[in-house]
Amino acid sequence: MTFDYKVADLGLAEFGRKEIRLAEHEMPGLMAMREQYGDSKPLSGARIMGSLHMTIQTAVLIETLVALGAQVRWVSCNIFSTQDHAAAAVVVGPDGSADAPAGVPVFAWKGETLEEYWWCTEQALKWPGEEGPNMILDDGGDATMLVHKGTEFEKAGAVPDPSTADSEEYAVVLSLLTRTLREEPQLWTTIGQGIKGVTEETTTGVHRLYEMHKAGALLFPAINVNDSVTKSKFDNKYGCRHSLIDGINRATDVLIGGKVAVVCGYGDVGKGCSESLRGQGARVIVTEIDPICALQAAMDGYQVSTMDDVVGIGDIFVTTTGNKDVITADHMAAMKHQAIVGNIGHFDNEIDMAGLYKTAGVERVNIKPQVDEFRFPDGHTIIVLSEGRLLNLGNATGHPSFVMSNSFTNQVLAQIELFVKTAEYPTDVYVLPKHLDEMVARLHLDALGVKLTELSKEQAAYLGVPVEGPYKSEHYRY
Ligand code: NAI
């Protein structure tokens, strides 16, 4: 295969390699996958296109997939989330050098334009001189969406019209599809037909998959990795508990203690974010639309209110909803001077950035990369992190290795399931069986010195569960 790639600077590879080495120790689940499957190589023949934040942790995932036999091409799933030293180290590979890279083709750098972002996704989906990818590993569903949209236009013989797009980003996607339809008319149909399945990392991507399946449009089976308990109840919660304040601190270094922090959404991500802000001494106010989550927030001791009611008292605002227009341009106009506004949900439309840019008289002052001050005509300003894109990856380095080891061990198991047992997965959206979820947790206990109590045969019979698990019914909620 031609070794094409595009990253910021291969000279950063040595630094990346050192951090990968440290991360491997903190990722016992992934290292156990290498141990268990390194010889049998169940992913031999797999050509995996990955679209997931190109971080140090993702580098360990990529090299695990390679150790299990896969060929891989990779992009980031966000324009700001790439760690350039991680991308360089993956391209160079453990045995290559900057002059003779011998790793995995990566198309990602921190600070892509939207055009560059979608160009990268296209490059990773095309396998020069090969049949094309046969697996997708997605985060947020952009790669999956591109294959589906492209196929849809090719089937309909329709030419996309970028001027009809409802966002700047979708206009870029439509322009890309217009070009590929002209240059390679059956590109996306061919790629789509070659895909055995996709494993999806996050809540928003999973939501898109269920919608497509409901509409009868899903082209291949999918495993919803997000809803493994060892993913969403750990990465979304404890990961964000760590990386939210890391992002706020690196961006602003403002003292969080004593401030009023408004967290929009009290799902898994919102729970972790609220806890971390409270841990720093902030007074946290939650907004919710779901009465169950609102009640949980209240019982956890948070004030629950609406954006309209608290917009004038918040010092820090964080959206965690996966929804759109949660903070509007009018909200931002009504905020205190130098209020901090950030999003940790997957897409940037939680905060109406488009509306803010269009607001008459608003002036943008760039403070440093991924930190902007917006000045309103009355003189007050707000500080927006990562242009409304997920701030924990834009302003900091995302979740730490140990929690990502849980998420990514689920990813590896899901890739093996779909690739090896393709016939057992007709097109639908699946979650991994519970015994694998429990196995992922088990693989992370020793590192934390956890001593697990073993059920006796009598106790197991009394509860009606096998001694070796699974221990909970499918409807148990953790
Ligand atoms: P979730 O579904 O558990 O929580 C979202 C919550 O937001 C729900 O409780 C929902 O009722 C609430 N909500 C929806 N609209 C709202 C509104 N207008 N106002 C207030 N609350 C509203 O989803 P989860 O797992 O917490 O994920 C949230 C987002 O974060 C998703 O986009 C997901 O993909 C993303 N995510 C980001 C991560 C990161 O590292 N930045 C990590 C994991 C997930």
Side-chain angles (χ1 to χ4, degrees):
M1 187 172 73
T2 321
F3 191 25
D4 53 343
Y5 62 87
K6 190 164 164 57
V7 298
D9 179 5
L10 284 191
L12 298 170
E14 196 181 329
F15 172 35
R17 183 55 50 191
K18 287 179 189 160
E19 288 217 329
I20 289 171
R21 181 168 53 73
L22 298 185
E24 284 172 348
H25 176 70
E26 280 283 302
M27 303 189 87
L30 284 184
M31 299 316 274
M33 292 292 101
R34 294 188 194 182
E35 185 81 14
Q36 192 172 339
Y37 295 114
D39 289 337
S40 61
K41 301 210 183 309
L43 292 176
S44 289
R47 295 184 298 278
I48 302 171
M49 182 277 178
S51 169
L52 193 152
H53 311 290
M54 185 56 258
T55 63
I56 289 291
Q57 293 69 34
T58 302
V60 183
L61 167 64
I62 292 171
E63 293 183 352
T64 303
L65 296 168
V66 171
L68 270 54
Q71 283 181 278
V72 179
R73 286 168 80 80
W74 212 267
V75 291
S76 216
C77 60
N78 184 281
I79 59 172
F80 291 139
S81 64
T82 297
Q83 292 163 20
D84 288 322
H85 63 320
V90 170
V91 169
V92 166
D95 305 318
S97 67
D99 296 331
V104 163
V106 174
F107 302 84
W109 56 95
K110 191 172 182 78
E112 296 158 1
T113 63
L114 288 175
E115 284 78 10
E116 288 166 342
Y117 172 81
W118 286 99
W119 176 85
C120 289
T121 305
E122 180 189 349
Q123 302 316 304
L125 278 163
K126 289 177 175 173
W127 288 53
E130 303 261 341
E131 290 167 81
N134 53 19
M135 297 293 294
I136 295 178
L137 192 160
D138 218 348
D139 182 343
D142 278 352
T144 305
M145 187 271 272
L146 189 60
V147 174
H148 278 76
K149 278 282 161 212
T151 303
E152 198 181 300
F153 279 114
E154 286 170 6
K155 229 186 227 159
V159 179
D161 177 1
S163 72
T164 61
D166 58 2
S167 70
E168 188 195 345
E169 178 150 13
Y170 194 47
V172 172
V173 174
L174 292 184
S175 299
L176 184 158
L177 292 177
T178 308
R179 173 175 51 75
T180 58
L181 274 165
R182 194 175 56 236
E183 293 171 359
E184 300 164 88
Q186 286 303 299
L187 176 71
W188 304 109
T189 307
T190 312
I191 291 177
Q193 283 168 348
I195 304 287
K196 289 169 184 277
V198 55
T199 60
E200 170 54 53
E201 174 82 359
T202 198
T203 316
T204 287
V206 160
H207 180 70
R208 282 174 152 187
L209 287 170
Y210 284 114
E211 291 280 298
M212 277 194 276
H213 187 50
K214 206 164 75 187
L218 191 61
L219 295 173
F220 34 76
I223 291 187
N224 160 2
V225 167
N226 182 67
D227 286 295
S228 287
V229 180
T230 48
K231 199 284 182 181
S232 49
K233 298 292 170 187
F234 290 80
D235 165 325
N236 304 24
K237 185 180 178 191
Y238 305 118
C240 290
R241 185 178 70 179
H242 174 105
S243 59
L244 171 77
I245 56 163
D246 189 8
I248 295 173
N249 286 338
R250 292 199 208 196
T252 67
D253 206 18
V254 32
L255 185 77
I256 295 172
K259 299 282 186 347
V260 175
V262 179
V263 176
C264 304
Y266 201 68
D268 292 319
V269 171
K271 288 179 174 76
C273 290
S274 301
E275 194 185 339
S276 67
L277 290 161
R278 176 152 73 185
Q280 287 295 310
R283 184 156 69 81
V284 178
I285 304 175
V286 168
T287 74
E288 251 297 343
I289 49 109
D290 179 333
I292 296 176
C293 299
L295 188 60
Q296 282 182 313
M299 293 218 179
D300 284 339
Y302 300 108
Q303 181 184 344
V304 182
S305 192
T306 63
M307 265 304 289
D308 289 344
D309 277 6
V310 300
V311 69
I313 60 166
D315 299 291
I316 300 170
F317 293 84
V318 181
T319 53
T320 78
T321 69
N323 201 348
K324 64 172 193 167
D325 299 335
V326 176
I327 294 183
T328 63
D330 285 347
H331 286 141
M332 290 185 271
M335 285 175 184
K336 277 181 162 169
H337 183 50
Q338 286 195 5
I340 295 167
V341 181
N343 164 48
I344 197 168
H346 191 80
F347 286 122
D348 61 336
N349 54 353
E350 301 209 20
I351 300 170
D352 182 16
M353 292 303 296
L356 179 62
Y357 292 131
K358 276 188 239 148
T359 303
V362 171
E363 184 196 342
R364 175 178 173 176
V365 181
N366 180 255
I367 305 292
K368 61 181 182 181
Q370 286 84 54
V371 181
D372 292 286
E373 190 184 21
F374 287 83
R375 186 177 303 281
F376 288 81
D378 67 358
H380 92 281
T381 68
I382 59 165
I383 300 166
V384 177
L385 309 187
S386 288
E387 299 176 13
R389 295 168 199 278
L390 26 73
L391 75 94
N392 60 331
L393 282 136
N395 296 91
T397 51
H399 298 351
S401 301
F402 195 78
V403 84
M404 293 316 294
S405 179
N406 287 268
S407 308
F408 288 167
T409 306
N410 281 292
Q411 277 288 3
V412 171
L413 291 167
Q415 285 283 322
I416 296 174
E417 276 294 300
L418 279 183
F419 182 68
V420 174
K421 303 184 190 160
T422 313
E424 291 175 31
Y425 290 96
T427 302
D428 204 333
V429 186
Y430 302 88
V431 286
L432 282 173
K434 197 170 281 293
H435 72 272
L436 293 181
D437 218 347
E438 289 179 358
M439 185 185 95
V440 173
R442 251 182 228 285
L443 290 172
H444 292 87
L445 298 181
D446 276 355
L448 300 181
V450 173
K451 277 192 174 171
L452 199 61
T453 302
E454 267 181 49
L455 276 178
S456 69
K457 271 193 189 137
E458 294 72 23
Q459 286 177 318
Y462 182 74
L463 290 178
V465 297
V467 171
E468 66 286 356
Y471 301 105
K472 299 289 198 294
S473 62
E474 286 307 321
H475 55 262
Y476 186 79
R477 290 196 175 89
Y478 297 87

